[in-house]
Amino acid sequence: MMKKMSTKRVFPAVTMAVGLALIAGCGGGGGEESGNGGGEEEAGGNDASGEGGLDGGDGEANNEGEEGDTHINLATASETGLYYPLGATLANFWSNEVDGVSSSSQSSNGSVQNMIFMAQGEADAGFVMGNILQDAYEGENGFEGEQYEDVRILAGVYPNYNHVVMRENAGIESIADIEGENFAPGATGSGTEIASQHILGAYDLTFDDINANFGAFPEATDLMRNNQVVGANINGGVPTSAVSEMISTANGVLTSIDDEQRQEMLDEYDFYIDETIPAGTYEGQEEDVHTTAMQNFIVADASMSDEVAYDITKAMWENIEDLHSSHETFQQFEIENFDEGSGDIPFHPGAEQYYEEEGLLD
């Protein structure tokens, strides 16, 4: 029987200003977010909104496990966030299928708070969007002065795509044409807002160059319907219902990010990956749409034993088809993409061992 891990250790708390700003930015809202980094957005047609409300706290215990088991507390999102059902399923799976492991899922405000919980020893593992993972690991942006160097990747699991949707009759041929126009870049503090900043930056634009109408997905959809904006950016899985709604009720048309600008985003940010939304993904979408996406990751603290990290990573990938029926988003988990968008952030040695055995690492 494996020894139970101790997860408590001293770590400075995130400052009040940062904590409030980031966690408030993770508050509820219609499809995404409203964003940590947008990772808990709906995917596969699921109508779950992003990270949801501000009640992050104790989550759902799936199995208590036997005395002496290694217990894994998995941080997810709010009950309306996509990470929540995925995490509940995984925690239950690990408890039932991995010898010597018991696991439970913990609700949270999503990616930002998951990093805080893990850094403070209140969670052993968690879901996180690539941009937030990088910020936490490098101590940048909201994590400045609160670097979390002990976070380790177990797996990259599925991407969130930037969906730039323009009103068909707005006269917009390229994203460059939104200069001086009304545009919905996402909710303030959200992952979509951050992604919109990056897209605009690739076109040498900032929010000062547009009339930004901030709001979560429902607000953006209403603005589109009422002809109050020429377009919006939606960061989410494929398909995302907010995008479907914009296309069907607001004459929305998906717009590609131009090749040069996509490459600039890929060169500037390690967490972006080059993606295509295939023709036919959305109603009336006749052509492929080229865009950027950010990977969602399952991460663990470095204090997790190599044996446990190996066992839970192996169990998930070797039984992924069995998980497909529990939630359709598991169908997007592809082991070949386990390291996409990971940049220089280290993998847990236990997970790394599994990928080496599978011939996926040199």
Side-chain angles (χ1 to χ4, degrees):
M1 193 73 69
M2 287 177 281
K3 292 177 66 178
K4 184 180 293 187
M5 293 183 296
S6 173
T7 61
K8 288 289 184 184
R9 59 194 184 288
V10 177
F11 190 93
V14 174
T15 63
M16 181 66 72
V18 169
L20 290 176
L22 290 178
I23 293 174
C26 299
E32 178 204 24
E33 65 189 34
S34 284
N36 61 332
E40 301 66 357
E41 311 180 51
E42 52 203 350
N46 187 334
D47 287 332
S49 66
E51 296 171 83
L54 301 172
D55 60 343
D58 294 336
E60 298 290 330
N62 294 295
N63 282 283
E64 292 300 326
E66 299 179 3
E67 186 176 355
D69 281 357
T70 294
H71 185 78
I72 300 171
N73 185 20
L74 179 64
T76 61
S78 77
E79 293 184 19
T80 58
L82 180 54
Y83 286 173
Y84 186 87
L86 297 179
T89 298
L90 266 182
N92 189 61
F93 171 78
W94 286 336
S95 291
N96 291 331
E97 301 297 330
V98 182
D99 290 342
V101 168
S102 66
S103 184
S104 59
S105 62
Q106 177 176 1
S107 65
S108 75
N109 292 319
S111 291
V112 171
Q113 195 172 50
N114 292 350
M115 294 297 91
I116 295 171
F117 281 164
M118 290 176 60
Q120 294 178 340
E122 296 177 19
D124 311 295
F127 283 84
V128 61
M129 272 294 292
N131 58 339
I132 300 302
L133 174 59
Q134 180 169 299
D135 284 348
Y137 179 72
E138 296 182 353
E140 296 179 345
N141 296 321
F143 291 89
E144 187 173 352
E146 304 293 346
Q147 186 175 9
Y148 179 27
E149 295 180 277
D150 286 338
V151 63
R152 297 290 183 268
I153 297 173
L154 295 178
V157 286
Y158 69 94
N160 274 17
Y161 296 71
N162 282 312
H163 298 76
V164 181
V165 187
M166 300 295 186
R167 280 194 296 107
E168 188 171 18
N169 57 353
I172 302 296
E173 300 294 331
S174 164
I175 294 171
D177 296 335
I178 69 171
E179 184 174 6
E181 301 285 354
N182 296 324
F183 185 80
T188 301
S190 71
T192 293
E193 183 203 10
I194 295 169
S196 295
Q197 288 177 351
H198 297 159
I199 294 169
L200 289 174
Y203 286 89
D204 294 323
L205 298 173
T206 70
F207 287 156
D208 291 336
D209 298 311
I210 65 172
N211 299 317
N213 290 253
F214 298 99
F217 291 175
E219 288 82 1
T221 303
D222 287 341
L223 289 168
M224 289 276 285
R225 286 198 200 102
N226 296 328
N227 297 331
Q228 293 175 281
V229 294
V230 298
N233 183 39
I234 303 291
N235 186 271
V238 171
T240 290
S241 63
V243 176
S244 298
E245 192 170 356
M246 286 183 179
I247 290 172
S248 62
T249 68
N251 295 317
V253 177
L254 279 169
T255 303
S256 289
I257 301 174
D258 295 305
D259 293 348
E260 180 182 343
Q261 282 71 29
R262 287 202 320 280
Q263 189 59 51
E264 183 172 331
M265 293 176 70
L266 297 174
D267 292 341
E268 181 75 15
Y269 305 102
D270 287 340
F271 49 79
Y272 277 121
I273 52 181
D274 197 9
E275 285 286 358
T276 297
I277 302 173
T281 301
Y282 294 94
E283 182 180 356
Q285 182 198 344
E286 298 180 355
E287 298 180 351
D288 290 348
V289 172
H290 303 288
T291 188
T292 53
M294 290 184 276
Q295 189 82 312
N296 293 284
F297 292 91
I298 302 173
V299 296
D301 189 79
S303 64
M304 179 179 286
S305 75
D306 292 355
E307 181 180 4
V308 169
Y310 174 88
D311 287 346
I312 64 176
T313 302
K314 179 178 181 178
M316 182 186 75
W317 285 123
E318 296 194 350
N319 294 276
I320 196 63
E321 291 187 4
D322 295 333
L323 292 168
H324 286 178
S325 60
S326 63
H327 197 288
E328 57 194 332
T329 302
F330 281 112
Q331 297 174 25
Q332 299 181 40
F333 285 37
E334 297 181 357
I335 192 170
E336 294 81 6
N337 300 328
F338 77 99
D339 62 347
E340 281 197 342
S342 59
D344 296 327
I345 300 169
F347 276 73
H348 195 290
E352 194 170 51
Q353 178 187 344
Y354 173 71
Y355 296 124
E356 288 174 348
E357 291 176 359
E358 293 300 301
L360 296 170
L361 286 176
D362 295 332

